[in-house]
C-alpha cells in the first residue's frame, strides 16, 4: 500500500510525501547512518558529524533560519543586484576562452534585456548540456553586474523544467563544505521517506495539539512558511514529545531504583536528638522536613536515590551529617565525597566536632602518608571505620568497604543521568545515595535535570544568618572601594576579589586577576594571594589553607571559589565586571561570604555603559538573597541553556523545549507521568518515542 500526503501552502504544493506501509513503525530508518541517504558520502558525513549530526533523526532538528523564494519569475529588466532571483532566459552564444582559469560565459536574453551566465570550473560539455542554444531555460541564482551588464555566476539551479526550480527553499545554518542546494535535497529526501509511526499519545493529549501526528508536525517544522512559528500546535506537539520522553526516562530510572530491595536501616530517634541538642542553633523547618524525608528513605526497604537541594548557606551539610550518624548507629558505613580536598576536610572537621567521640571517622587525603592511607584502607575493609571523607578517590577499586550503606556526594551539579546511575550502584543494593547541590534552579529545570531522583529542598536560611548587603559601584570609583577594604582589614576581616579573566585580554575589556593581584599587592604588601584555574591543585589547596588561617587578607580569584567552601572570616566579596556574570553565578559567588556572625558585604563593580538586561540583573541581586527566586529571574533574562548548573550538568540540552516558554507543557508532561506511575501503566507503546529521542539505552542500562 502507498500513502500519498500532499501539503498545500498558499495554494502551492510544497511537499509530496510518499510512504510505503511496510515502513510503518520502522524507526530504524530515522536512526540509520547518514550514508544511507543519497548524496551523502564520507566527506559530507564527516562535515555533518562535526555538528553532532550522527544519524538521520539528528538532521531533522537542524531547523531552517530563513528561506529563498524561487517561485516568482522575474524579467531581466526588473532584476535587483545582490538578490537571489528566478529568470526564464534563452541562451544565444557560448564564449569558451582558451586562456586557462578564465570562466566560461553564455550570453542570454529574454524579451526585456540581456544577461550572462558565468561558470567557473565547469566543463564545456556540461555548460552546453544545461544551457542549449535557442531553447528556453529557467535559472535561479544571485544577481550581479559586470560592466553594466547583468550576470549570474554559477547559477544554483538550471533546468528546462521550470517546475523543478519554482519552489521555496529553506536556508539552514550550514556547515562549511555543504551547499544550500545539497542540504535541501538531503532534508527533502528524509521528509519524503518518513516512516509512518504508530501514535504514542492518547486522544486526550493529542486533542491539545489539534490532533497533529508526529509525521505531520515534522513536515510542518521544515515548511518555509512556519519558520519560528513557536506557538503553532505542530511545534508544541514536538516540544511535548521531547519533554515527555525525558520525563518518562527519569520515571523509569526512579522505578527501577525503587525496585531494588535492601536491608532497612533501623536507628533510634535518640541518636538524632542528641546531636541536634548539641547544636548552637535550631534547625529550620525545611531542614527538619528534609531530614524526615531522608530518614523515611533510610528506614524503607527500597533504595534511596535523593537530591538535597538548597540555597547557599541553608544548612545542607548539617542535615547530611545527622542522617550519616543515624546510618552509622544502624551498623552501616558512610562515605562522603566532595569536589575538592579542602571542602572534604571542612566537612570532616565539622563531623569531628559534632559526632560522639566513640564514632570512628577518617579523612582520606592525597596529602596523607602512605602508612596512614594503608591504615584507613584496612580500617574500611575491616569495618573499624564508621565514616570516611574525601574526593572521588574514595571510590577507587582498591578501596573496599566492609558494609557501605550510605553515599553522600556534595556539589554534584556536574553529573548527568548516566553518571548518577553509576554512583547509585556503588556499595551494592544496601547502599542509599544522597546527592547535594547548592545551585538553586527553577522548578521546570529541576523536573528535567533531576527527574530521575526524589528531591528535598531547603529554602530557609538559619535564623542567626544575616543577609549579605549588596551594593553596586562604578569601576571608576575604585578609590572608594579601596578605602572600604582598608577599613575591613583593619577590623580583622578578609576579602574575596573576583575577576572574570586570568590574564589581560586585548579583545575583552574585562579585569584580569593577574593585573588586579599586582595592583592590590602594591597597596597591601604581603597580604594578597592569587588563585585561578591554571594553578596546580596542590598549590590551590595551599593558598586556600593559608587564607583560611588568615595568613592573607585578600584573595584575588577567578570564579573557581564559587563552590561550597566555608571561610567564616571572609566578610567582603568584590566582583569586577559584575555585568559579565549570570545572576545565579553572582549569587553563588556572594554566598562565599556571610558565613560567620558579622555583617557581610558584596560589591558589584561595573562600567557605565550597561545594557538593560545587565542593569536588571544587578538590581535583582541587590534586592534579593533568595537563590530560587534569583534563578527564576536569571532564566527569564538569559535562557535556560546558560544557567549555572545546567550546562555543566552533563544533561543534553533540549532541541526545541524551553522551560520558560513551554512551562505549561512541562507541567502537562509531569501530570501525565504521575498518572502512568499511579496507575502502573505499561510503557510499551512509547518504545519508538524513547528509541528516537536517544534515551532507551539509559533505561536498558538500569537493570
Amino acid at each position: 500500500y502507498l500513502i500519498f500526503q500532499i501539503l498545500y501552502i498558499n495554494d502551492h504544493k510544497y511537499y509530496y510525501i510518499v510512504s510505503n506501509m511496510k515502513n510503518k513503525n520502522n524507526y530504524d530508518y530515522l536512526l540509520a547512518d547518514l550514508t544511507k541517504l543519497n548524496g551523502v558520502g564520507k566527506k559530507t558525513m564527516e562535515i555533518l558529524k562535526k555538528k553532532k549530526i550522527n544519524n538521520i533523526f539528528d538532521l531533522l532538528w537542524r531547523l531552517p533560519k530563513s528561506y529563498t523564494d524561487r517561485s516568482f519569475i522575474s524579467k531581466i529588466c526588473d532584476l535587483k543586484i545582490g538578490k537571489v532571483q528566478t529568470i526564464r532566459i534563452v541562451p544565444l552564444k557560448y564564449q569558451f576562452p582558451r586562456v586557462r582559469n578564465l570562466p566560461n560565459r553564455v550570453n542570454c536574453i529574454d524579451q526585456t534585456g540581456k544577461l550572462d551566465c558565468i561558470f567557473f570550473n565547469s566543463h564545456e560539455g556540461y555548460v552546453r548540456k544545461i544551457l542549449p542554444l535557442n531553447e528556453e531555460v529557467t535559472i535561479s541564482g544571485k544577481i550581479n553586474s559586470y560592466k553594466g551588464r547583468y550576470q549570474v555566476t554559477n547559477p544554483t539551479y538550471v533546468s528546462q523544467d521550470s517546475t523543478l526550480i519554482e519552489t521555496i527553499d529553506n536556508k539552514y545554518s550550514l556547515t562549511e563544505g555543504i551547499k544550500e542546494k545539497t542540504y535541501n535535497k538531503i532534508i527533502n529526501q528524509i521528509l519524503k521517506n518518513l516512516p509512518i509511526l504508530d501514535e504514542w499519545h492518547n486522544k486526550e493529549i493529542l486533542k491539545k495539539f489539534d490532533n497533529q501526528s508526529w509525521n505531520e508536525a515534522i513536515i510542518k517544522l521544515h515548511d518555509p512558511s512556519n519558520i519560528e512559528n513557536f506557538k503553532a500546535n505542530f511545534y508544541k506537539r514536538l516540544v511535548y514529545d521531547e519533554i515527555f520522553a525525558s520525563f518518562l526516562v527519569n520515571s523509569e530510572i526512579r522505578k527501577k531504583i525503587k525496585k531494588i530491595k535492601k536491608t532497612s536501616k533501623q536507628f533510634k530517634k535518640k541518636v538524632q536528638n542528641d546531636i541536634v541538642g548539641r547544636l548552637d542553633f535550631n534547625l529550620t523547618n525545611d531542614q527538619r522536613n528534609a531530614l524526615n524525608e531522608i530518614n523515611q528513605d533510610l528506614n524503607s526497604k527500597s533504595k534511596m536515590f535523593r537530591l538535597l537541594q538548597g540555597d547557599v548557606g541553608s544548612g545542607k551539610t548539617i542535615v547530611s551529617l545527622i542522617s550519616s550518624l543515624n546510618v552509622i548507629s544502624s551498623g552501616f558505613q558512610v562515605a562522603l565525597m566532595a569536589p575538592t580536598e579542602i571542602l572534604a576536610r571542612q566537612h570532616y572537621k565539622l563531623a569531628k566536632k559534632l559526632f560522639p567521640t566513640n564514632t570512628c571517622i577518617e579523612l582520606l587525603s592525597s596529602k596523607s602518608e602512605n602508612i596512614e592511607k594503608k591504615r584507613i584502607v584496612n580500617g574500611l575493609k575491616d569495618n573499624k571505620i564508621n565514616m570516611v571523607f574525601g574526593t572521588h578517590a574514595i571510590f577507587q577499586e582498591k578501596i573496599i568497604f566492609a558494609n557501605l550503606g550510605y553515599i553522600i556526594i556534595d556539589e554534584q551539579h556536574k553529573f548527568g543521568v548516566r553518571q548518577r546511575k553509576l554512583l547509585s550502584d556503588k556499595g551494592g543494593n544496601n547502599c542509599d545515595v544522597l546527592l547535594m547541590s547548592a545551585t538553586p534552579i527553577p522548578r521546570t529545570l529541576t523536573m528535567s535535570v533531576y527527574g530521575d531522583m526524589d528531591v528535598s529542598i531547603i529554602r530557609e536560611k538559619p535564623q542567626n544568618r544575616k543577609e549579605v548587603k549588596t551594593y553596586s559601584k562604578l569601576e571608576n570609583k575604585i578609590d572608594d572601594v579601596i578605602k572600604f577594604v582598608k577599613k575591613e582589614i583593619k577590623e580583622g576581616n578578609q576579602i574575596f576579589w573576583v575577576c572574570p579573566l586570568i590574564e589581560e585580554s586585548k579583545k575583552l575589556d574585562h579585569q584580569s586577576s593577574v593585573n588586579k593581584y599586582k595592583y592590590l599587592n602594591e597597596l597591601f604588601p604581603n597580604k594578597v594571594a592569587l588563585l585561578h584555574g591554571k594553578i596546580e591543585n596542590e598549590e590551590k589547596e595551599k593558598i586556600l589553607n593559608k587564607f583560611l588561617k588568615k595568613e592573607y587578607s585578600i584573595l584575588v580569584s577567578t570564579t573557581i571559589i564559587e563552590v561550597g567552601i566555608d571561610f567564616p572570616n571572609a566578610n567582603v566579596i568584590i566582583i569586577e565586571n559584575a555585568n559579565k556574570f549570570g545572576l545565579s553565578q553572582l549569587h553563588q559567588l556572594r554566598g562565599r561570604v556571610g558565613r560567620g556572625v558579622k555583617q557581610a558585604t558584596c560589591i558589584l563593580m561595573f562600567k557605565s555603559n550597561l545594557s538593560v538586561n545587565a542593569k536588571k540583573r544587578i538590581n535583582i541581586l541587590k534586592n534579593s538573597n533568595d537563590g530560587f527566586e534569583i534563578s527564576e529571574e536569571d532564566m527569564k533574562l538569559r535562557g535556560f541553556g546558560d544557567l549555572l548548573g545546567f550546562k555543566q550538568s552533563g544533561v543534553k540540552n533540549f532541541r526545541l523545549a524551553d522551560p520558560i516558554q513551554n512551562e505549561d507543557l512541562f507541567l502537562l508532561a509531569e501530570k501525565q507521568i504521575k498518572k502512568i506511575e499511579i496507575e502502573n501503566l505499561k510503557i510499551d507503546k512509547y518504545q519508538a518515542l524513547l528509541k528516537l529521542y536517544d534515551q532507551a539505552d539509559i533505561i536498558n542500562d538500569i537493570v
Side-chain angles (χ1 to χ4, degrees):
Y1 297 92
L2 292 177
I3 295 176
F4 293 85
Q5 187 175 1
I6 302 168
L7 286 184
Y8 289 91
I9 300 145
N10 298 330
D11 297 325
H12 288 281
K13 188 195 297 181
Y14 285 113
Y15 295 105
Y16 183 71
I17 311 300
V18 183
S19 292
N20 197 312
M21 280 298 285
K22 71 181 180 182
N23 283 338
K24 189 175 175 69
N25 278 336
N26 183 15
Y27 50 76
D28 289 341
Y29 167 78
L30 293 169
L31 298 174
D33 194 88
L34 297 168
T35 52
K36 299 286 182 187
L37 296 167
N38 295 329
V40 178
K42 189 178 177 182
K43 185 183 174 184
T44 305
M45 186 177 74
E46 285 174 1
I47 292 169
L48 290 170
K49 284 196 171 182
K50 283 180 183 176
K51 281 271 189 177
K52 297 184 179 177
I53 299 171
N54 298 307
N55 55 38
I56 292 171
F57 186 74
D58 288 343
L59 269 170
L60 292 174
W61 309 106
R62 310 300 293 193
L63 304 186
K65 303 295 180 189
S66 60
Y67 62 87
T68 304
D69 188 349
R70 303 183 193 277
S71 62
F72 182 77
I73 303 294
S74 301
K75 300 290 184 186
I76 290 177
C77 65
D78 296 326
L79 294 179
K80 293 180 180 177
I81 306 298
K83 283 201 165 188
V84 174
Q85 291 178 270
T86 306
I87 323 135
R88 289 188 186 133
I89 47 95
V90 176
L92 290 184
K93 184 182 177 183
Y94 301 127
Q95 292 182 19
F96 299 132
R98 295 185 182 278
V99 181
R100 198 175 177 184
N101 294 330
L102 285 178
N104 293 322
R105 184 184 298 270
V106 183
N107 304 136
C108 308
I109 61 165
D110 73 356
Q111 307 94 318
T112 67
K114 297 176 181 179
L115 173 141
D116 291 341
C117 289
I118 311 297
F119 294 89
F120 286 91
N121 305 316
S122 293
H123 194 269
E124 277 184 38
Y126 170 75
V127 175
R128 290 178 189 275
K129 183 180 177 182
I130 64 169
L131 288 176
L133 297 181
N134 301 315
E135 292 186 28
E136 188 176 76
V137 179
T138 303
I139 68 166
S140 183
K142 194 172 184 179
I143 308 300
N144 296 307
S145 177
Y146 181 69
K147 292 185 177 180
R149 188 176 174 109
Y150 289 118
Q151 64 179 30
V152 178
T153 303
N154 291 335
T156 311
Y157 292 92
V158 180
S159 178
Q160 287 181 273
D161 183 355
S162 63
T163 59
L164 298 176
I165 295 177
E166 294 167 28
T167 58
I168 297 179
D169 292 327
N170 286 330
K171 282 186 176 180
Y172 294 87
S173 178
L174 299 176
T175 308
E176 190 180 341
I178 300 179
K179 293 179 181 176
E180 185 183 303
K181 181 180 177 180
T182 305
Y183 201 87
N184 269 286
K185 275 186 178 178
I186 293 169
I187 292 293
N188 287 331
Q189 181 188 158
I190 296 170
L191 295 176
K192 285 180 181 178
N193 289 294
L194 276 182
I196 304 296
L197 303 174
D198 275 345
E199 184 54 67
W200 41 72
H201 295 307
N202 59 38
K203 290 179 182 177
E204 182 188 340
I205 294 294
L206 281 176
K207 196 175 178 182
K208 295 180 185 294
F209 308 115
D210 196 27
N211 296 309
Q212 300 275 330
S213 73
W214 185 84
N215 293 66
E216 288 173 326
I218 289 290
I219 291 162
K220 288 179 180 177
L221 191 66
H222 288 269
D223 186 327
S225 65
N226 284 325
I227 289 171
E228 295 191 345
N229 192 359
F230 304 131
K231 293 184 179 179
N233 280 316
F234 77 84
Y235 192 88
K236 287 183 176 179
R237 188 248 145 90
L238 293 174
V239 168
Y240 181 76
D241 280 335
E242 193 172 35
I243 299 166
F244 184 74
S246 173
F247 284 15
L248 191 57
V249 168
N250 288 332
S251 171
E252 287 303 295
I253 292 173
R254 281 199 311 272
K255 275 197 271 185
K256 291 199 175 187
I257 289 173
K258 292 284 184 191
K259 282 180 183 175
I260 298 171
K261 295 304 172 189
K262 64 161 193 189
T263 303
S264 171
K265 294 174 177 68
Q266 299 298 322
F267 44 83
K268 293 177 181 176
K269 196 81 178 204
K270 185 179 182 304
V271 175
Q272 180 173 307
N273 291 341
D274 285 349
I275 190 172
V276 169
R278 286 200 297 275
L279 298 175
D280 54 6
F281 57 87
N282 294 323
L283 293 180
T284 63
N285 289 329
D286 280 358
Q287 284 176 310
R288 291 182 184 279
N289 290 338
L291 198 51
N292 287 337
E293 288 169 347
I294 292 166
N295 285 342
Q296 283 174 14
D297 284 352
L298 294 172
N299 290 152
S300 78
K301 291 191 175 182
S302 296
K303 183 167 180 165
M304 177 174 82
F305 194 42
R306 181 172 289 277
L307 171 75
L308 180 58
Q309 187 185 20
D311 204 349
V312 284
S314 60
K316 298 178 298 300
T317 307
I318 288 291
V319 170
S320 70
L321 291 179
I322 294 171
S323 63
S324 296
L325 199 57
N326 285 335
V327 171
I328 290 167
S329 70
S330 70
F332 287 91
Q333 292 171 301
V334 180
L336 189 151
M337 185 182 94
T340 64
E341 200 166 290
I342 194 167
L343 188 54
R345 190 178 299 277
Q346 181 179 291
H347 292 332
Y348 167 73
K349 284 181 178 177
L350 182 59
K352 268 282 189 194
K353 183 180 169 186
L354 293 175
F355 284 8
T357 51
N358 63 348
T359 310
C360 183
I361 63 174
E362 295 287 352
L363 174 71
L364 194 58
S365 163
S366 60
K367 295 186 181 70
S368 305
E369 296 291 332
N370 284 334
I371 297 173
E372 180 73 359
K373 285 180 184 176
K374 193 173 181 181
R375 182 187 67 78
I376 294 170
V377 169
N378 288 334
L380 290 169
K381 189 178 179 181
D382 298 337
N383 207 9
K384 291 177 180 175
I385 295 172
N386 302 124
M387 184 170 183
V388 64
F389 296 78
T391 58
H392 63 279
I394 62 175
F395 291 134
Q396 288 175 350
E397 281 185 32
K398 65 179 180 182
I399 296 174
I400 299 166
F401 292 84
N403 194 19
L404 183 61
Y406 193 22
I407 292 173
I408 301 165
I409 315 288
D410 194 11
E411 296 300 343
Q412 65 79 54
H413 63 273
K414 290 186 180 179
F415 297 160
V417 174
R418 195 177 294 276
Q419 291 96 323
R420 292 201 293 264
K421 164 64 183 65
L422 292 171
L423 285 171
S424 78
D425 291 340
K426 292 287 182 184
N429 291 352
N430 280 329
C431 192
D432 291 302
V433 180
L434 179 72
L435 307 183
M436 298 196 294
S437 174
T439 307
I441 59 174
R443 184 166 175 263
T444 45
L445 273 189
T446 301
M447 290 154 59
S448 309
V449 180
Y450 300 121
D452 55 317
M453 310 167 70
D454 294 313
V455 180
S456 295
I457 296 176
I458 302 178
R459 291 175 183 270
E460 288 178 275
K461 301 283 178 67
Q463 287 182 347
N464 63 344
R465 175 155 292 199
K466 295 176 181 176
E467 287 194 350
V468 180
K469 288 185 177 178
T470 306
Y471 303 95
S472 55
K473 203 83 174 169
L474 281 167
E475 64 174 28
N476 59 15
K477 301 282 186 182
I478 185 75
D479 290 345
D480 294 346
V481 176
I482 294 296
K483 207 178 287 182
F484 176 74
V485 167
K486 282 179 180 176
K487 180 179 77 71
E488 289 292 316
I489 291 174
K490 197 174 180 181
E491 291 175 7
N493 296 325
Q494 289 175 292
I495 292 96
F496 286 117
W497 200 302
V498 180
C499 302
L501 299 176
I502 297 172
E503 304 286 351
E504 190 175 10
S505 168
K506 290 179 181 177
K507 291 183 180 178
L508 299 172
D509 187 20
H510 302 175
Q511 283 288 357
S512 80
S513 56
V514 174
N515 283 354
K516 189 56 66 177
Y517 166 73
K518 289 175 184 174
Y519 168 76
L520 291 170
N521 204 39
E522 286 180 11
L523 295 173
F524 306 96
N526 303 317
K527 289 186 178 181
V528 187
L530 175 64
L531 193 69
H532 56 68
K534 287 186 179 179
I535 294 172
E536 293 294 326
N537 283 339
E538 199 170 320
E539 185 61 24
K540 278 182 201 170
E541 296 279 342
K542 283 181 185 175
I543 293 166
L544 286 170
N545 274 316
K546 283 183 177 181
F547 188 65
L548 197 58
K549 292 172 185 173
K550 299 174 70 173
E551 291 180 32
Y552 297 115
S553 297
I554 302 172
L555 181 63
V556 178
S557 169
T558 54
T559 57
I560 61 171
I561 56 119
E562 73 192 46
V563 175
I565 308 164
D566 252 336
F567 293 95
N569 203 54
N571 267 24
V572 178
I573 185 164
I574 297 158
I575 305 171
E576 300 265 10
N577 292 95
N579 51 298
K580 298 298 177 185
F581 298 98
L583 264 175
S584 293
Q585 193 172 26
L586 287 172
H587 180 64
Q588 291 285 310
L589 288 167
R590 180 171 63 177
R592 295 309 99 225
V593 297
R595 294 181 170 239
V597 292
K598 294 182 182 179
Q599 177 63 58
T601 305
C602 172
I603 299 174
L604 307 171
M605 299 191 70
F606 58 92
K607 297 181 185 299
S608 54
N609 55 340
L610 286 183
S611 67
V612 174
N613 267 4
K615 286 177 183 174
K616 280 182 184 176
R617 282 205 298 273
I618 287 172
N619 284 329
I620 289 165
L621 205 72
K622 283 165 72 175
N623 295 324
S624 177
N625 269 267
D626 184 330
F628 289 93
E629 180 187 323
I630 286 167
S631 71
E632 290 280 355
E633 295 300 323
D634 200 10
M635 191 165 74
K636 288 173 189 173
L637 287 172
R638 305 204 317 147
F640 77 97
D642 285 333
L643 272 184
L644 178 71
F646 190 76
K647 269 192 170 177
Q648 300 101 311
S649 67
V651 178
K652 189 191 296 181
N653 281 359
F654 288 119
R655 288 163 163 134
L656 302 180
D658 185 299
I660 308 163
Q661 306 298 330
N662 308 122
E663 185 180 9
D664 58 330
L665 300 180
F666 276 81
L667 297 174
L668 177 63
E670 184 187 39
K671 184 180 175 183
Q672 193 63 19
I673 292 297
K674 281 181 180 174
K675 184 180 178 184
I676 290 170
E677 289 176 344
I678 291 167
E679 297 178 13
N680 201 22
L681 301 175
K682 290 185 177 181
I683 64 162
D684 296 357
K685 67 175 182 175
Y686 300 114
Q687 184 186 13
L689 174 73
L690 293 173
K691 198 78 177 171
L692 286 176
Y693 286 82
D694 198 25
Q695 302 280 7
D697 287 345
I698 297 176
I699 291 180
N700 293 336
D701 283 348
I702 303 162
V703 291

